[in-house]
Amino acid sequence: MFNLLTTLVDNNRIYGKQGKLASYIPSLLEADPEHLGICIVELNSGREFHAGDCDTKFTIQSISKVVSLILALSDNGRENVFKKVNVEPTGMGFNSIINLEVRNKKIPYNPMINAGAIVTTSLIYGQSKEEKFERIIEFLRRATNNQNISINEEVYECEKITGDRNRSLAYFMKSNKVLEGNVEEILDLYFRQCSIEVTARDLARFGAVLANDGLAPWNGQRLMSRDVCRIAKTIMVTCGMYDASGEFAVKVGIPAKSGVGGGILATVPRSYGIGIYGPSLDKKGNSIAGLRLIKDLSDELDLSIF
Ligand code: GLN
């Protein structure tokens, strides 16, 4: 496995040159476009395999949408969550606003686009925004078996300053009564969760929890119900890779979620958790070398669930 991962990283690193770093925040531009790393946690043996830049920190960005979905479902139950956010792919970019107006029902299409994640974030329980954030980061610490997970304050400040599109989505949803409560507080929580730093190794462990039906494989602790875990994986398949989710399902065939920090969280039910980092992105916002790497891996190990 180790040799395979090293070969796949070496073969695909070059594709970082063909993409672009996310540029809406200066600190995301500091990443090295040719960084590429992968970590795999094998459920059967509990072993971790890795190659390339798998301990480089990057911000979780949209991958945090999986966490807010899991917490919203655990806190409110699926009926209450899916009254406020749908589960259909959009075929549109992750921060598109158009569907919020043209549909009959004004709720966002799914929890993996920005509008949908702002809604699931608003549903997370807690007495204060600090407590809500603590619950998000604590969930991630447990799901990655890494107590050192923390926020990148510089990215958080920039998310706040540059977050006008997210602000528009949120206030638009407030005007339609989809979003309730203090919009600025909800946005602040969303910006914070996007700014949490992880590594490919952290994502691989999170993927292993999802692969293991919500139980942390290293200590048997249940982090979410089987039902919540199943819903999260299903929506990752249909919507996790933005408007490239269909193509990804055909070519790779496993539940996955990407973020503009360059991360990919992937999970092969009952077999593997996979974490990838490659900050150079394609036009849709997915890691350009990461996509090729995971496609090659899926071909080599016959990972498609279909
Ligand atoms: N912080 C980014 C945003 O809200 C996250 C988007 C992403 O990773 N696709 O726009």
Side-chain angles (χ1 to χ4, degrees):
M1 181 73 99
F2 175 73
N3 288 343
L4 171 67
L5 297 185
T6 305
T7 308
L8 295 185
V9 167
D10 289 347
N11 289 350
N12 286 297
R13 201 183 279 283
I14 184 86
Y15 293 106
K17 282 196 194 329
Q18 294 179 7
K20 284 209 168 80
L21 296 168
S23 57
Y24 70 102
I25 293 181
S27 39
L28 294 179
L29 275 172
E30 288 164 16
D32 180 340
E34 284 185 62
H35 267 174
L36 185 63
I38 183 167
C39 181
I40 297 188
V41 176
E42 188 175 55
L43 281 190
N44 265 345
S45 63
R47 289 182 66 190
E48 288 184 10
F49 302 92
H50 51 87
D53 306 291
C54 76
D55 288 315
T56 305
K57 286 186 183 173
F58 56 93
T59 49
I60 190 166
Q61 298 294 350
S62 272
I63 301 169
S64 67
K65 292 173 166 112
V66 179
V67 179
S68 45
L69 173 64
I70 289 169
L71 291 177
L73 286 168
S74 305
D75 289 352
N76 301 272
R78 68 154 99 174
E79 257 174 55
N80 289 325
V81 172
F82 294 136
K83 265 187 223 155
K84 298 260 176 200
V85 54
N86 226 315
V87 291
E88 300 304 334
T90 65
M92 302 274 179
F94 60 82
N95 57 6
S96 168
I97 199 164
I98 187 165
N99 285 325
L100 288 179
E101 183 162 49
V102 295
R103 265 168 75 106
N104 269 344
K105 238 165 130 190
K106 307 272 184 235
I107 63 177
Y109 261 59
N110 70 67
M112 298 291 135
I113 52 171
N114 289 14
I118 292 169
V119 169
T120 53
T121 299
S122 79
L123 296 174
I124 295 173
Y125 284 2
Q127 298 289 342
S128 59
K129 72 172 188 214
E130 287 76 22
E131 187 183 326
K132 292 176 189 177
F133 181 66
E134 212 30 55
R135 289 193 59 222
I136 294 171
I137 202 158
E138 195 45 42
F139 176 90
L140 265 169
R141 288 181 183 136
R142 288 199 196 148
T144 57
N145 199 18
N146 179 1
Q147 279 307 307
N148 297 323
I149 298 257
S150 60
I151 188 171
N152 180 322
E153 293 289 346
E154 192 185 317
V155 170
Y156 162 61
E157 290 301 327
C158 292
E159 290 287 342
K160 261 201 303 200
I161 295 167
T162 59
D164 290 328
R165 174 68 73 99
N166 290 320
R167 230 166 246 119
S168 317
L169 294 167
Y171 280 101
F172 195 82
M173 291 191 288
K174 167 109 176 170
S175 75
N176 285 331
K177 305 210 166 32
V178 175
L179 203 61
E180 287 168 86
N182 182 324
V183 179
E184 286 303 326
E185 272 193 24
I186 296 165
L187 283 164
D188 191 59
L189 193 57
Y190 174 79
F191 295 141
R192 276 176 199 265
Q193 72 180 42
C194 286
S195 311
I196 294 173
E197 276 187 325
V198 291
T199 63
R201 189 188 299 274
D202 294 325
L203 293 182
R205 294 190 188 158
F206 185 9
V209 175
L210 296 172
N212 200 31
D213 285 334
L215 287 177
W218 44 89
N219 61 9
Q221 194 182 20
R222 180 161 288 289
L223 299 183
M224 72 200 89
S225 71
R226 277 183 74 122
D227 193 44
V228 166
C229 188
R230 191 180 54 79
I231 295 171
K233 282 183 283 194
T234 310
I235 301 178
M236 284 164 73
V237 167
T238 54
C239 311
M241 303 300 282
Y242 312 128
D243 43 334
S245 299
E247 191 183 340
F248 187 84
V250 170
K251 288 188 176 163
V252 183
I254 56 177
K257 180 76 201 90
S258 57
V260 293
I264 301 176
L265 158 73
T267 176
V268 185
R270 282 167 277 282
S271 304
Y272 301 109
I274 303 170
I276 288 181
Y277 170 59
S280 181
L281 307 177
D282 66 12
K283 288 208 170 65
K284 295 188 174 179
N286 291 314
S287 168
I288 194 161
L291 277 183
R292 288 180 173 264
L293 173 56
I294 198 165
K295 154 102 179 53
D296 289 351
L297 184 76
S298 176
D299 288 345
E300 285 291 331
L301 301 180
D302 193 16
L303 297 181
S304 175
I305 63 172
F306 299 107

